[in-house]
Amino acid sequence: MLKNVQNMHRENELHETITCLFGKVENNVELERKEKFDILVSEWMGYFLLQEAMLKSVIYARDNYLKENGMLFPNAVFLYVSGADNQSKILLFVIIA
């Protein structure tokens, strides 16, 4: 995702306005700055919203680097789970929206 964003903002001549950083936010030395960000975009969900366990990092970034009225994307997720029993098989349906 980062490479696509970097390409898009370079092609649209926004490379001096938009800052893109890669890595775990708690360990990123480049973030040692006094100004906070207007928007944070993070690919934190992982598989089924659980696998990568990045929620702590997102909360850390929000609390330390996001301006008071800033925006965080994605800012909502929904997990729908439904089970079904077919006497011989148990089926589980998962939809993430």
Side-chain angles (χ1 to χ4, degrees):
M1 181 164 73
L2 177 67
K3 297 292 182 199
N4 291 333
V5 171
Q6 287 174 328
N7 290 337
M8 285 189 303
H9 84 276
R10 193 177 309 111
E11 289 171 6
N12 290 292
E13 298 179 9
L14 295 170
H15 55 279
E16 293 181 13
T17 306
I18 298 173
T19 303
C20 297
L21 302 172
F22 177 78
K24 195 168 182 179
V25 69
E26 295 93 340
N27 301 336
N28 202 322
V29 180
E30 291 183 63
L31 287 177
E32 292 180 14
R33 53 193 295 173
K34 294 193 179 3
E35 65 182 280
K36 293 191 174 191
F37 296 101
D38 298 304
I39 299 172
L40 291 176
V41 180
S42 178
E43 189 178 23
W44 62 272
M45 291 174 281
Y47 300 105
F48 297 111
L49 306 178
L50 305 169
Q51 187 65 27
E52 293 180 25
M54 295 281 299
L55 186 57
K56 284 184 181 181
S57 293
V58 173
I59 291 171
Y60 179 90
R62 180 200 64 193
D63 293 346
N64 292 287
Y65 300 114
L66 188 62
K67 287 184 179 178
E68 187 175 326
N69 293 319
M71 295 180 284
L72 178 66
F73 295 103
N75 61 1
V77 262
F78 302 94
L79 177 63
Y80 300 94
V81 179
S82 175
D85 186 1
N86 189 6
Q87 293 184 3
S88 62
K89 296 179 183 176
I90 297 175
L91 305 172
L92 178 65
F93 301 97
V94 178
I95 300 172
I96 299 174

